[in-house]
Amino acid sequence: MVMQQSISSASVRKAPARRHDRGRLMQEAAMLAPAMILLTLFLILPFLLSFWTAMTNQPLVPRPTPVRFVWFNNFIRIFQDDLFWTALWNVSRFTFWIIPAQCGLAFVTALLLNQKLPFRNLLRGMFFLPAITSMVVVCVIWGTLFQYPTGPFNQILGFLSGGAIQPIDWLGDPQWAMFSLVLLSAWQAYGFQMIVYLAGLQGIPDELYDAAKIDGANALRRFWHVTMPGLRPTHVFVLVITTIQAFKLYTQVAILTQGGPKSSTETVVHYMVRSGFEEQKMGYASAVSVILFVIVLIIALIQRQLLRRFDV
Amino acid sequence: MGKRLLWSLVLSSVLSASWAQAAEKTAIQVMHQGDPGFVAAYGKVAERFEAANPDVDIQFIYAPHDAYNEKFSAAVMAKQLPDVMELDAPFLANYVWSGYLQPIKPLIDKDLLDDMTESNIAQGTYPIDKDLYAIGLTDSSVVLYGNKKYLEAIGARIPKSVDDAWTREEFEGYLEKLSKLDGVKWPIDTFRGYGIKTEWITYAYGPILQSAGCDLIDREAWKSEGTLDSDACVDALAMMQKWVKNGWVVPQSAGTNQFFAEGNPAALALGGHWVYAEAVATMKDNIVVLPLPKFGAKGASPNGTWIWAITKTSKHPDIAAKFISFLLKDKEYRAYVASQSGYPGLKSFAAESPLYANGGPMAIAFEQASKTAVSRPPHPAYPTITSAFMQAVDEAFNGGDPKEALTSAAKKIDEDIEDNDGYPPFGDGQ
C-alpha cells in the first residue's frame, strides 16, 4: 500500500518535469556550476598542467635556457632510475607493514572502547589525541625517543632484557629505519581508523546481538558471526584509506631520515620533492607525481571492485 | 576647551609628521640564515645602521639553513626577491647564471674590496664574466682536530704546517691505533650528525676526493662521467666506506659533538673552523689543529661560506650595498664573529683574529686557504651536483657499492646539464 502510493506520487511529479526539461537542466547546471568550477580550477586543471609539465624540462625557477618538450623522456629516466624503484619498493614495504600494525591497533582499541567502560569518552579522546597532533611534532619527539645509543627506547629494551638486547640504531641502520617509521606512523595515525571502526561497531544493530544471544551464541561466536560481517564495509574502507595514505608517506621521512640511510626510507613523494625542489627539475618531479597518481588511481579502482563485491 | 583643542592639534600634527617620516623610509629587505647568535648580531647591526641612516628601514627575512635554496626559489617564483641576500658560495654560479644577482664591485666601498683575501674574491666571483657578485667578512675551511692526549698516547707525528700533512698511510695507521686505545670509542668524528642531506657532505668530503686526484666534475668540459666515477674517486669513496665499516667513524645518530663531549669519545675530528670555538670551551689546550691529510699527491681543503649579494631586482642597490659595507665594517659584529672562531675573509679582519695569525691555534687553517683550498665546482648545475654526491656518499657509507653509487651520481649530473643545454656559455670553450 505504501509502495503503491509512492509510485503514483512519483509518476505525478514526473509529468510536469518532462515539460520543463530544459529549464530543469539549466537549473541543475547552475547548481553544479560552483562545484564544477572549483573542481576544474583546483583539481582537473592542475592535473592536466602537471601532465603537461611532466613532458617538458621545466625548471623550478625561470632560467635563461628555453623550456623544451621532451615528450616521455622524464618517464623513461624515472623508470631507469634505481632510486625510483627503491622508493616504490620502500613505500610498498611500508604499506605492507603499516596495514596490520595501524589497522590492527585501531581495531583492538575500538573494540575495547566500545565496551561500557567508565570514562569511556575520555579514553576515546585520549586514544584519538595522537591523530590530531601535528606529525612534525610527533616526529621531533619520537626522534628523541629513537636516539642511539642512549634514547629511551633503547634504555627500556636494555632494562627489560637485562642488557641482553644491544642498543638499536633505530633511524641510522638501513635494516631498522623503515620499521621505526612504521612504528611511529602507526602510533600517530591509528586514532583515525579507530574512530571509523567505532562508528562501524555502533552501526551494527543491537537486535542482531540480542538474537544471537537468544540463539545461545557465546561472546566469541557473536564476534565472528555478528561483529565481523557487520564491519565488512568498514574493513574495506579502512584498508583502502590506509593504503592510499601509506603511499603518500613523506613528513616522517623528510624530518627524521631524509630518505636514508642507504635510501632505505626513500619514498615516492620524497623522491618527487627532492627532484623538484632540491635539484630544481619541475618537469621531472611532475612526471613522478603523474606516476604516483596512476598508482593511487589503480588502488582506488581496486577499492571500487572490492566494494562492489561486498555489495556495499 | 580651547586648550584641549590646541593640544589635540599639536598632537595630531606631531603624529602625522612622524607618520610621514615613516612613509618616506626606504625599505631594504635582507634575506639571511644563521644560528640565533648571528641572527641577533645582524639585528643589532641593522639598529646601528638605521640610527646612522634614519631614512632606511632594514627588514630581515630569515630562511633556515637547510631549506635556504628552497625558500629562495619560492621568493623567485613569487617575484619577491629581497634587496640583499646571503648565499652559500657554491650556489653563486647558479644564481648569477639564472640572472638574479648584479655585479657589486661599483657599489661596495672600495677599501673593503681592496681588503678581500684572494679566496674571498674567488668565492664571490662568477667564473664566466670574472665579475664580483658577492662579498663576505669570512671564508671557511675544514681542518683535522686532534685530542692531544690520545695522539701522544699512540705516538703520532704532529705536523707543523700544511706541507708536512699526514699521508694517507699515516692517517689510516693512526686511525687503526686509535681504535684500540682505551677511552676512544671512535677514532674520528666526521660530523655525520649534520645529516645526509646537507652541504657539509660535499663541502667536507669533496676535498678528500680532490686530494686523491679526482673531482666531482671535469672543470673544463663540465662533464661528470669519466671524472666522478673514475677509479681515483671510487677508491677514495671506498676508503671512506672502509673507515665507516671498521667502526672508526662516529655514526650519524650519535650527534655532532663526540669530539668535545664528556669523556672525549672521539679522538680526531674532521671539522669546520667553527668547531674550534665549541671545542675549546671544554677541551682547553688539549686540542691540536692539524692540516687535512694528503690522500694522494697533493693536499686539498674546502673554502667558501655564506656571503652577501645584491639582487638584480633591487630598487635601491646603492643603499643595499651601503648596508653590506656597513655590516662588514661594524666593529661589534666583527668582534662577535671573531668570538665564534670566524674564518677571516678580509685582511683587516685577519689582523683582528689572533686565532688565525701566525702561531695562532688556527694558523694552519688559514695556511690551507692559500695552499690547498679548492672551491666547489662553480657551475650552475651545482644544486644537482651536490645533491647527487650526497646520495652517493649515503649509499657508500651504508654498505652500497661505491662504483655504482658514483656512476649513478655522475649520470644524474650529466643529465641535468644536458637538460639545460649545457648551461651556456658553460662548456662552450671546451
Side-chain angles (χ1 to χ4, degrees), chain A residues 227-304:
Chain A
T227 311
M228 283 312 260
L231 281 180
R232 214 151 47 188
T234 318
H235 280 311
V236 175
F237 175 74
V238 164
L239 194 86
V240 169
I241 285 289
T242 315
T243 314
I244 292 178
Q245 274 176 356
F247 264 84
K248 295 195 288 192
L249 175 64
Y250 172 72
T251 317
Q252 298 91 307
V253 175
I255 294 173
L256 289 175
T257 61
Q258 288 93 41
K262 205 189 170 196
S263 313
S264 63
T265 58
E266 184 75 39
T267 67
V268 178
V269 179
H270 190 256
Y271 178 82
M272 174 173 87
V273 172
R274 166 195 288 216
S275 34
F277 292 97
E278 268 172 46
E279 293 164 11
Q280 311 188 348
K281 295 186 289 194
M282 233 13 176
Y284 192 87
S286 298
V288 180
S289 81
V290 168
I291 293 171
L292 184 67
F293 169 81
V294 171
I295 293 171
V296 173
L297 182 73
I298 292 171
I299 295 172
L301 287 177
I302 295 173
Q303 163 198 29
R304 255 182 53 151

Side-chain angles (χ1 to χ4, degrees), chain A residues 92-115:
Chain A
S92 313
R93 227 159 32 118
F94 177 79
T95 311
F96 188 73
W97 281 341
I98 197 96
I99 287 175
Q102 188 170 338
C103 301
L105 194 62
F107 188 47
V108 171
T109 27
L111 284 177
L112 286 175
L113 294 182
N114 201 35
Q115 310 299 316

Side-chain angles (χ1 to χ4, degrees), chain B residues 6-43:
Chain B
L6 191 72
W7 269 116
S8 60
L9 262 175
V10 168
L11 210 79
S12 62
S13 62
V14 166
L15 271 176
S16 65
S18 61
W19 269 112
Q21 203 181 13
E24 273 167 30
K25 277 193 178 183
T26 314
I28 295 291
Q29 294 187 315
V30 180
M31 187 164 161
H32 67 102
Q33 50 95 50
D35 62 33
F38 271 92
V39 173
Y42 296 148

Side-chain angles (χ1 to χ4, degrees), chain A residues 5-311:
Chain A
Q5 235 172 22
S6 70
I7 287 172
S8 61
S9 65
S11 54
V12 168
R13 237 184 277 130
K14 220 172 183 179
R18 206 177 289 144
R19 245 180 279 144
H20 298 288
D21 237 352
R22 180 173 285 171
R24 182 152 173 185
L25 205 70
M26 292 299 284
Q27 212 176 16
E28 280 170 355
M31 282 175 165
L32 261 173
M36 284 314 286
I37 290 172
L38 288 177
L39 274 176
T40 315
L41 212 62
F42 292 106
L43 254 136
I44 301 171
L45 211 64
F47 176 70
L48 291 178
L49 271 176
S50 73
F51 198 75
W52 172 271
T53 316
M55 295 204 277
T56 64
N57 67 344
Q58 173 79 47
L60 174 66
V61 287
R63 288 189 162 174
T65 46
V67 176
R68 277 183 283 113
F69 246 105
V70 296
W71 299 107
F72 291 96
N73 231 344
N74 285 328
F75 291 94
I76 295 168
R77 271 193 200 164
I78 291 167
F79 290 132
Q80 283 173 349
D81 188 357
D82 290 342
L83 190 58
F84 171 74
W85 292 109
T86 311
L88 198 58
W89 165 241
N90 285 337
V91 175
S92 313
R93 227 159 32 118
F94 177 79
T95 311
F96 188 73
W97 281 341
I98 197 96
I99 287 175
Q102 188 170 338
C103 301
L105 194 62
F107 188 47
V108 171
T109 27
L111 284 177
L112 286 175
L113 294 182
N114 201 35
Q115 310 299 316
K116 290 185 177 61
L117 298 169
F119 306 114
R120 191 167 64 164
N121 284 336
L122 186 76
L123 283 174
R124 283 180 188 174
M126 272 170 54
F127 280 94
F128 189 62
L129 211 57
I132 51 163
T133 310
S134 154
M135 184 52 108
V136 177
V137 176
V138 171
C139 285
V140 171
I141 295 169
W142 278 60
T144 345
L145 298 180
F146 278 135
Q147 218 153 59
Y148 174 76
T150 52
F153 282 167
N154 281 324
Q155 291 197 349
I156 291 169
L157 277 180
F159 177 74
L160 289 180
S161 68
I165 298 179
Q166 289 298 308
I168 295 167
D169 193 353
W170 296 97
L171 297 170
D173 183 341
Q175 306 284 335
W176 280 97
M178 190 50 108
F179 177 74
S180 309
L181 293 190
V182 171
L183 278 184
L184 177 161
S185 313
W187 179 84
Q188 193 268 345
Y190 81 93
F192 174 74
Q193 278 88 340
M194 182 190 80
I195 292 291
V196 176
Y197 270 127
L198 271 174
L201 284 169
Q202 276 150 29
I204 303 172
D206 283 339
E207 290 86 23
L208 291 178
Y209 286 104
D210 293 339
K213 261 187 205 159
I214 291 166
D215 288 344
N218 62 18
L220 193 67
R221 300 196 72 162
R222 286 202 299 276
F223 174 74
W224 276 117
H225 297 290
V226 180
T227 311
M228 283 312 260
L231 281 180
R232 214 151 47 188
T234 318
H235 280 311
V236 175
F237 175 74
V238 164
L239 194 86
V240 169
I241 285 289
T242 315
T243 314
I244 292 178
Q245 274 176 356
F247 264 84
K248 295 195 288 192
L249 175 64
Y250 172 72
T251 317
Q252 298 91 307
V253 175
I255 294 173
L256 289 175
T257 61
Q258 288 93 41
K262 205 189 170 196
S263 313
S264 63
T265 58
E266 184 75 39
T267 67
V268 178
V269 179
H270 190 256
Y271 178 82
M272 174 173 87
V273 172
R274 166 195 288 216
S275 34
F277 292 97
E278 268 172 46
E279 293 164 11
Q280 311 188 348
K281 295 186 289 194
M282 233 13 176
Y284 192 87
S286 298
V288 180
S289 81
V290 168
I291 293 171
L292 184 67
F293 169 81
V294 171
I295 293 171
V296 173
L297 182 73
I298 292 171
I299 295 172
L301 287 177
I302 295 173
Q303 163 198 29
R304 255 182 53 151
Q305 288 299 317
L306 277 173
L307 286 175
R308 218 177 259 166
R309 183 167 302 167
F310 286 121
D311 198 24

